[in-house]
Amino acid sequence: MVAVVGLLLAAGGGRRLGGRAKARLTHRGRPLVEFGVGELVRGGCERVVVVLGAEADAVLAEAELTGCAVVRNDDWASGMGSSLAAGVAALPTDADAVVVTLVDMPGVGALAVARLIAAAGGPEDLIAAAYAGTRGHPVLFGRAWWPELVRTAEGDAGARALLAAQRARVRLIECADIADPYDIDTPADLDRLDP
């Protein structure tokens, strides 16, 4: 059995949303960050690390994150890469793999997480959800890739450089039947959230 931890990147300031921290948006009656944690847990992650940045104090006051390891990324404005690096650096060393997901993708939930975990076999894994054959989120990284993730994560690219460099090793698991990879980026996207 592979021990998998979840990593939820929830630090962004929502620049295209008029500066509203995405973690604080309401979805199904709770902050979006809380919803994301719940989906990782329901999908089979034994533990969850959450990276906060923009409005971190307000997020912590509003969201129920008991049991999560919360990492504050003071450099969140530099892009997702710094949050990914901070989150990976905080992962428990006894885990075999991490499933990385984004707070602004509520359509990618527990079923997709569970499908990736079911495909995991060990520390060398690189497994990504796919939608009609195109790589998307979430992504599972075996422990062997964690140092490289921290080294290459910068700007808004996140893990893109690593995944591109290792394209031949990435296993794609089709998830279009169980997940919808939209993200909440602009005011028009807010209609996709359930109040």
Side-chain angles (χ1 to χ4, degrees), residues 51 66 134:
V51 181
T66 302
T134 301

Side-chain angles (χ1 to χ4, degrees), residues 29-189:
R30 297 301 305 152
L32 202 50
V33 64
E34 191 177 315
F35 175 81
V37 166
E39 293 302 290
L40 283 165
V41 171
R42 282 189 286 283
C45 294
E46 299 175 2
R47 293 164 285 183
V48 176
V49 175
V50 179
V51 181
L52 299 179
E55 302 177 50
D57 289 336
V59 174
L60 288 170
E62 295 166 4
E64 175 52 59
L65 300 177
T66 302
C68 297
V70 176
V71 176
R72 286 178 182 251
N73 175 20
D74 294 330
D75 193 29
W76 63 268
S78 70
M80 189 190 337
S82 64
S83 292
L84 178 61
V88 171
L91 294 175
T93 55
D94 60 342
D96 299 310
V98 61
V99 173
V100 179
T101 191
L102 309 179
V103 76
D104 66 351
M105 300 185 79
V108 175
L111 294 176
V113 171
R115 192 169 280 182
L116 264 59
I117 290 174
E124 302 290 331
D125 283 334
L126 276 177
I127 305 171
Y131 301 90
T134 301
R135 179 174 52 78
H137 289 278
V139 182
L140 183 145
F141 297 91
R143 187 178 60 236
W145 297 103
W146 296 0
E148 185 74 358
L149 262 180
V150 172
R151 190 181 69 74
T152 60
E154 55 187 38
D156 267 329
R160 219 172 286 141
L162 171 61
L163 293 170
Q166 300 296 333
R167 185 176 291 113
R169 297 189 66 156
V170 178
R171 268 194 297 154
L172 297 180
I173 305 292
E174 188 58 48
C175 289
D177 59 319
I178 55 169
D180 187 348
Y182 66 86
D183 50 16
I184 308 296
D185 268 345
T186 67
D189 298 327

